[in-house]
Amino acid sequence: MKKGIGYYQIGETVELALLIKQAKKGIASNGKPFLSLMMTDKTGDIEAKMWGVKPEDESVYRTGTVIYVQGDVQDYRGMRQLRLKSVRPAHDKRAEDYMQSAPMSVDAMLEKVNEYLFAMDNPKIQRLTRHLLKKHQEAFLTSPAAVKNHHEYSSGLIYHVVSMLELGRSFAELYPSLNKDLLYGGIILHDLAKVNELTGPLGTQYTLEGKLLGHISMMHVEIETAAAELQIEGEEILLLKHMILSHHGKGEWGSPKPPMTREAEMLHMIDNIDARMAMMDRALERTAPGEFSERIFAMEQRTFYNPNL
Amino acid sequence: MKKGIGYYQIGETVELALLIKQAKKGIASNGKPFLSLMMTDKTGDIEAKMWGVKPEDESVYRTGTVIYVQGDVQDYRGMRQLRLKSVRPAHDKRAEDYMQSAPMSVDAMLEKVNEYLFAMDNPKIQRLTRHLLKKHQEAFLTSPAAVKNHHEYSSGLIYHVVSMLELGRSFAELYPSLNKDLLYGGIILHDLAKVNELTGPLGTQYTLEGKLLGHISMMHVEIETAAAELQIEGEEILLLKHMILSHHGKGEWGSPKPPMTREAEMLHMIDNIDARMAMMDRALERTAPGEFSERIFAMEQRTFYNPNL
Amino acid sequence: MKKGIGYYQIGETVELALLIKQAKKGIASNGKPFLSLMMTDKTGDIEAKMWGVKPEDESVYRTGTVIYVQGDVQDYRGMRQLRLKSVRPAHDKRAEDYMQSAPMSVDAMLEKVNEYLFAMDNPKIQRLTRHLLKKHQEAFLTSPAAVKNHHEYSSGLIYHVVSMLELGRSFAELYPSLNKDLLYGGIILHDLAKVNELTGPLGTQYTLEGKLLGHISMMHVEIETAAAELQIEGEEILLLKHMILSHHGKGEWGSPKPPMTREAEMLHMIDNIDARMAMMDRALERTAPGEFSERIFAMEQRTFYNPNL
Amino acid sequence: MKKGIGYYQIGETVELALLIKQAKKGIASNGKPFLSLMMTDKTGDIEAKMWGVKPEDESVYRTGTVIYVQGDVQDYRGMRQLRLKSVRPAHDKRAEDYMQSAPMSVDAMLEKVNEYLFAMDNPKIQRLTRHLLKKHQEAFLTSPAAVKNHHEYSSGLIYHVVSMLELGRSFAELYPSLNKDLLYGGIILHDLAKVNELTGPLGTQYTLEGKLLGHISMMHVEIETAAAELQIEGEEILLLKHMILSHHGKGEWGSPKPPMTREAEMLHMIDNIDARMAMMDRALERTAPGEFSERIFAMEQRTFYNPNL
Amino acid sequence: MKKGIGYYQIGETVELALLIKQAKKGIASNGKPFLSLMMTDKTGDIEAKMWGVKPEDESVYRTGTVIYVQGDVQDYRGMRQLRLKSVRPAHDKRAEDYMQSAPMSVDAMLEKVNEYLFAMDNPKIQRLTRHLLKKHQEAFLTSPAAVKNHHEYSSGLIYHVVSMLELGRSFAELYPSLNKDLLYGGIILHDLAKVNELTGPLGTQYTLEGKLLGHISMMHVEIETAAAELQIEGEEILLLKHMILSHHGKGEWGSPKPPMTREAEMLHMIDNIDARMAMMDRALERTAPGEFSERIFAMEQRTFYNPNL
Amino acid sequence: MKKGIGYYQIGETVELALLIKQAKKGIASNGKPFLSLMMTDKTGDIEAKMWGVKPEDESVYRTGTVIYVQGDVQDYRGMRQLRLKSVRPAHDKRAEDYMQSAPMSVDAMLEKVNEYLFAMDNPKIQRLTRHLLKKHQEAFLTSPAAVKNHHEYSSGLIYHVVSMLELGRSFAELYPSLNKDLLYGGIILHDLAKVNELTGPLGTQYTLEGKLLGHISMMHVEIETAAAELQIEGEEILLLKHMILSHHGKGEWGSPKPPMTREAEMLHMIDNIDARMAMMDRALERTAPGEFSERIFAMEQRTFYNPNL
């Protein structure tokens, strides 16, 4: 069996089936159109330029298509790039088999989430959380958590939630003043509206609603609607709503209110930690020991060092 | 008939009935308790310290009580202050008759709002706006628009809305690309949730919901609920929601999304203009020609000059 | 009669006379020189690259020249671009006939300005404003209001002033505390020194004086000189000077003093509103319903949505 | 046995021995000197003013003295304050018995730290950390972690370190890419130079060295000196130094370098979390359910809500 | 002969004539008026409260009056304060003899300025500078350079200019690319309009013109007017104007243009250095060796250390 | 003798030996590799692209190689660029003879530094400074002061120090409160650790230590180590350490402490002045009179005007 694209070094020759994750048209400086293809399999990404494309090529080599490619891996400004020699559609392959996804199975992750749901003592928080999870379960299982930066792959959202729940349990154990039910409920729900803010796991984009309202405000409405439907009343609902609204931490980062409860503050911190670990891991995976990674845009443009230890 | 408190100069003797707008307890540097009373009638405010208070005084001289006062107007750090000689409850007086309020009658303002509602051509925007207005009409007619800074008096909210509607019409006439229905709808609804964010016209405070969620997110939920109830669908609802969410202009100022339509941007500008004019007028009313006003906190701490023209 | 360049779609063939608004030389990645031409007629702009240019071409295809062009409209990074097939100078055409300009006639705009001048009650403000207007009238009628962003076309400055005067009247009617004469005077004069800060309506650039001093400080001097010449004294002059100095609102935006009078604050707001409407209209004109515009640099890089209503 | 000062309510009469934590002289508005005494026992703090003090009183009622006090608890601007009736030195009491301290015994905490030291696999990190810990052990066991804000009590520093180590273990288990030895070493050492930056657990102040250099730069030097003494070389030392230098996260917060390794970033996050939980717990302990706490200066002046759950 | 007020220590008894530099009325917490007097002689300042003042006292103890005082020096929040025992007007004393002023004689300073004027080679810069200096010479010799912060005493402006000229010469010698004539001209003129921005050396305040226009814009106009009067033309005038406009360095600090020539940049740096040295010297004069000064507001609220060397 | 590369104009033909200062590989838009060569001799820099390079070319045309080139000077986006016609290695030439370096001889600069060292009165400061200078003398004589922006050439560091010492003397003469020994010591040592932060005068890069620790923290350690070795104690050492730590002025600029002594503040100012003059001189050397320079990144992206005087 062939090794995946993630393991090819500069200078090696590639002969593989790959999924087009994103296809973009451009015009070269000589005035001729080309396609810029970001291609992927489960092991990594590589970019290629397809020169001298004809109008019909554009409809063939589109986002979501699997193709057979031959070419050489080259260095382009410190990034690997594929110089294409031949390329043709792979009609016998399914996109799902080439999409990157979370490093746990969807079933295992769902079971984890359910464990935490089960561990809740407060029936109002539990019922509301279970109701919303069920309502969006299908999309929740495959949705990415973002368009870029971190957890932007298939099932990235639920993977992010599972990691955060594990952290949440450690926090709740160390700091007894934290209400674990609010914390778990907030973690499970905080990004759930991303299933409607984003278009799905492939060629992920913002929806119109996502752009004009955002997942924070959309989730706020979801909780209100669910509580009304389930006829749940009480401060729990208000506290959960506040956690959703404040989980980006401050106005500049998209939250209409800053965290004003212990659980809201910790939800924001946990979200931040898991996102940052994911971004650093991603960048450092591609960095040799003793070298610095490329700059991480969402971490103040910092570059990270991969030690020789 | 006696002149109102707003017209008394330093050195004059006061003998009037006044409403306690805000009563706060303090401890003097000699260790004895005192009450700090902000008193008002329709013509203005004045502060007084009530020294050597007894425990029972605290329950008598409370926010919302009308009292008879005698005393002298003095200068205290450039502000008028009342030195009390005698004070007693005025059981025969009603608080309403002493509260500051908008310079138009409530009926006239409501009529104005209805005119603009009537002028709308888009039936969805019109129905939704009318429905929400009706739902909250009673509180809308008396609610202040804020705890402090501007329009913080009885019926301040509807007065702010009426001024904004007038400005909105001028804008819509000058710039034909603006959709007047969205603009009017956005103006009428933008601050409507303040009726639940604040406690009412006297001793105004934030509610718990107001503090943890804020009127922007609360109104967003209101629109969703109303649209569902009236079974109205279509981009109009999304656009109105966006206008509500973005009307503070940017994240730092409490909006989870910045304005992304012409009408949303203009709603924000109009809101800003009316608030700034109100704050400048307030400050300059108390400033003699040729002098500078006190600093206006919400306008970058600037001081304003009252010309001799 | 042929349709203008603004109406050509991607894929269409163009055969038109167009004005070179800006010609810039570059070196292609193959080391050969090319010209980047921004071309215009009254209906819109389009860019083209002219490859393999000879030294003599540079002196022929210059800013301000009208040329006959043949070519195809292509998509280049989401913008239309013209792929040139043939090009030659159009010696029989006049640049004026191809320059974009304000949507009102110069005569109509001048009449409008004079109406407002006539409506002034304060003789000092009126005389000073009329004097300065007369002094710069010729350039004022054709000057753009900016190098880029908004009102950057022929007669853009006077068009901006006329729109602002209309807004100013609405403000003065709604807020009686505003001094309409100061407001109108400030509006007419605020950007008048742009006639010396910029080089004129074609290939607009900053003058040396414009770069080192700026129109704000230049206009301040103009008022001083005019008042001395007309022997006008009084607080009006000081207030007008202050309005000029403060009309950008704060230091970061180029004003050495922030607004400290009602009229100065409102001049700043009105200037802002008219600029923002112009930028949004420009961006949304080129955006299909249901789509987002390109980012507007001077509006915090925001993108705007063109509704389907 | 008497209850501690932390349990007295407004209106109650106090008759207790208390430690003067901080004594400050002031001049009353009548021109007479007074002492402002912050007094403490293990259950809480209370402030009192001592009026009409004589010169000799200043040398008696000093920071670090235990005194017998009689008085009434009053409300002063929302804080409890003690109105003194009588006061005299308690020569038979020891300051140590009245100082607030960490909620674990020093022995238990030291054992915890040693467990983590023992769990390290890398001998260089282990030796260096043990060496520095031993060198400063005595002061480390009693030092506060700060002058104010959080962990500013006796043994606050080691308590902060122990909490961070527990969090660190959870992180290292969840994120296998983290090097646990670096993380534990960084946590143990990060604030160790506070033993020289601050003057000790009572009347805590900055030393001259602390003010001019700061614990970050001081610790950097300590590591260099220790490594030279122990003749330890290798990237571990450089990585630990980097963690120390970067643990405040960015320049504005006192770090000459931002975190550029996974462990440095996580050290900063863990430090932040533990500090924030401590500040929120402190503020909410004094806040009744259903109320908002006082503003926490070091958390962007936010106020926190204590739920009714 | 008696020692000056600057040399009195806490605990000493004062019996001196002092000038009232600033008198302000206040109301004590017992409701009675008092005067807060900032008093000075050539050796330093001291503040005192005058309790129980009568209406007639206010007109006697005013800014600019010399008084005989008896009292004790006390410590008030770390500052010396005078506790008054007796006070009466000193009709036989002149205010000038008690005002703080520059540490050089006015004649010596004027001679220095003239030396630099004489050293200029460019006749245009020389004539213009001499003309403006002559026009404002009388006020220039006594004007303070500021209301507070630095050089805020009699002849502070010319002293600031002389120090800057000395620095300027060092710069011009070290960096031959600097045009010394522009630099000297810019230094002499940069703050000259302060003679009209401020009211003079005693009880210094901003004039109306000063507040609404500021010395930067006022000086810009002065140069224009002078150049027109002297019929001087040429780039020199433009460059001097630019230096004036940009000498605060950036918009936030009041300059409508940032420095865009070498000489403008260096003028800004020299201004900054001299101001900072003056502020540090002032603060450290009052600070014992081994102690930190009070915070300097205009230097980012920093406190400075006075070494034991 | 041929003129140097710095004197060639656009359009001229070049036939010279030049040193490759920096060689970078790239991929052209046609997919083929090229080399981007920054070449230099003592008179200036010029860039060239070398198209169609073969793998073996990369090892020949490397940073540090002297080559013979033939080609034409062209304009590329306002910068000179060399269009290569022929190129071959110049094995008979030495890199040193082509490197740009300070405009003074190394011997003369070292003598200057020694003069200032000799002028010190405080034996502790003198011994410590001399010791550290001696320890790093060899590298100090050739090290650049930076990777880019200013003094980034051979011996740039010592040249920067010498200029700063001259300025320092002027300051010390004008402001007698400055301690000249601390000032000179701080100037000589402030950037000395750059000899270990950077890799040397050719193809200058940051070392790993330089990136993770930075020259400020590295120098702090050096002083500690030297003082221990020389057994020097006293406040002088602390004050020098503080000057090193604070010489970038504030946290955002890399200093863990802001300046808190007169000498520390002045060291920061002098460093700033010399850097700014060097950047302006560099930019304006390449700018014709009457023109504006290219933007200087490290000076807030400003552009500077070269006057016609």
Side-chain angles (χ1 to χ4, degrees), chain E residues 59-193:
Chain E
S59 58
V60 172
Y61 300 99
R62 295 198 305 192
T63 300
T65 308
V66 182
I67 54 177
Y68 289 111
V69 299
Q70 282 187 315
D72 303 320
V73 180
Q74 295 188 329
D75 173 80
Y76 178 62
R77 296 185 187 165
M79 304 284 284
R80 298 181 321 152
Q81 199 181 56
L82 187 63
R83 185 144 182 238
L84 294 176
K85 287 182 193 155
S86 98
V87 57
R88 66 189 163 88
H91 299 301
D92 56 329
K93 303 290 186 186
R94 295 185 323 160
E96 301 87 287
D97 299 332
Y98 293 83
M99 287 162 67
Q100 285 175 52
S101 61
M104 278 176 85
S105 79
V106 165
D107 288 350
M109 293 191 286
L110 186 57
E111 194 173 345
K112 269 280 177 204
V113 173
N114 281 326
E115 270 174 39
Y116 281 93
L117 204 56
F118 191 76
M120 290 180 181
D121 295 318
N122 182 306
K124 294 181 184 177
I125 300 176
Q126 195 181 42
R127 274 184 69 213
L128 189 104
T129 307
R130 178 181 290 136
H131 173 86
L132 283 164
L133 205 53
K134 205 163 180 184
K135 178 175 171 195
H136 296 295
Q137 180 167 320
E138 197 182 320
F140 179 58
L141 296 181
T142 59
S143 178
V147 167
K148 56 179 179 182
N149 291 336
H150 68 92
H151 300 96
E152 74 279 38
Y153 45 73
S154 181
S155 304
L157 177 53
I158 185 170
Y159 186 65
H160 180 40
V161 163
V162 167
S163 301
M164 286 175 67
L165 284 168
E166 306 277 41
L167 276 177
R169 187 175 49 191
S170 304
F171 281 45
E173 282 167 13
L174 185 61
Y175 303 116
S177 60
L178 285 172
N179 179 318
K180 80 169 190 314
D181 295 350
L182 281 173
L183 193 58
Y184 295 170
I187 289 172
I188 294 171
L189 298 179
H190 81 294
D191 272 354
L192 187 54

Side-chain angles (χ1 to χ4, degrees), chain C residues 22-268:
Chain C
Q22 196 93 43
K24 277 190 194 161
K25 199 184 164 184
I27 305 286
S29 58
N30 63 0
K32 295 198 181 147
F34 66 90
L35 287 174
S36 172
L37 303 175
M38 177 58 72
M39 297 172 303
T40 190
D41 65 15
K42 286 188 172 301
T43 65
D45 293 341
I46 199 161
E47 205 184 6
K49 302 275 187 227
M50 195 171 152
W51 303 104
V53 296
K54 292 165 212 148
E56 60 269 29
D57 290 339
E58 285 178 51
S59 59
V60 171
Y61 300 100
R62 295 198 306 191
T63 301
T65 310
V66 182
I67 53 177
Y68 289 111
V69 300
Q70 282 188 317
D72 303 321
V73 180
Q74 294 187 330
D75 173 81
Y76 177 62
R77 295 184 187 166
M79 305 283 284
R80 298 181 321 153
Q81 198 181 56
L82 188 61
R83 185 144 181 238
L84 294 176
K85 287 182 193 154
S86 98
V87 54
R88 64 188 164 89
H91 300 301
D92 56 329
K93 303 291 187 186
R94 296 184 325 160
E96 301 86 288
D97 299 332
Y98 293 83
M99 288 163 66
Q100 285 175 52
S101 61
M104 278 177 84
S105 78
V106 166
D107 287 350
M109 292 192 287
L110 185 58
E111 195 174 344
K112 269 279 176 206
V113 174
N114 281 325
E115 268 174 39
Y116 280 94
L117 205 55
F118 191 77
M120 290 180 182
D121 294 318
N122 181 308
K124 294 180 185 176
I125 301 175
Q126 195 182 40
R127 275 185 68 214
L128 188 103
T129 308
R130 179 182 290 134
H131 174 87
L132 283 164
L133 205 53
K134 205 161 179 185
K135 178 175 172 194
H136 296 295
Q137 181 167 318
E138 198 180 320
F140 179 57
L141 296 181
T142 59
S143 178
V147 167
K148 57 180 179 181
N149 291 336
H150 67 93
H151 300 99
E152 74 279 38
Y153 45 74
S154 181
S155 304
L157 177 54
I158 185 169
Y159 186 64
H160 180 40
V161 164
V162 166
S163 301
M164 285 175 67
L165 284 167
E166 306 277 40
L167 275 177
R169 187 175 49 191
S170 304
F171 279 47
E173 282 167 12
L174 185 61
Y175 302 115
S177 60
L178 285 172
N179 179 316
K180 80 169 189 317
D181 295 350
L182 280 174
L183 194 57
Y184 296 170
I187 290 171
I188 294 172
L189 298 179
H190 81 293
D191 272 354
L192 186 54
K194 285 198 169 170
V195 302
N196 289 326
E197 188 191 33
L198 306 176
T199 53
L202 198 64
T204 312
Q205 305 242 313
Y206 282 92
T207 61
L208 176 59
E209 211 186 350
K211 266 187 148 168
L212 293 184
L213 308 180
H215 70 280
I216 282 186
S217 296
M218 288 159 74
M219 196 64 215
H220 181 220
V221 162
E222 290 265 355
I223 293 181
E224 171 75 13
T225 305
E229 207 175 316
L230 301 174
Q231 292 180 293
I232 302 177
E233 283 181 356
E235 208 164 283
E236 289 89 343
I237 304 305
L238 179 60
L239 294 168
L240 277 174
K241 282 171 160 187
H242 172 68
M243 291 174 78
I244 299 310
L245 290 180
S246 67
H247 85 267
H248 280 192
K250 50 175 153 173
E252 293 90 308
W253 301 332
S255 271
K257 287 284 174 183
M260 282 185 270
T261 63
R262 270 188 276 242
E263 292 78 19
E265 179 70 15
M266 285 300 122
L267 172 60
H268 168 58

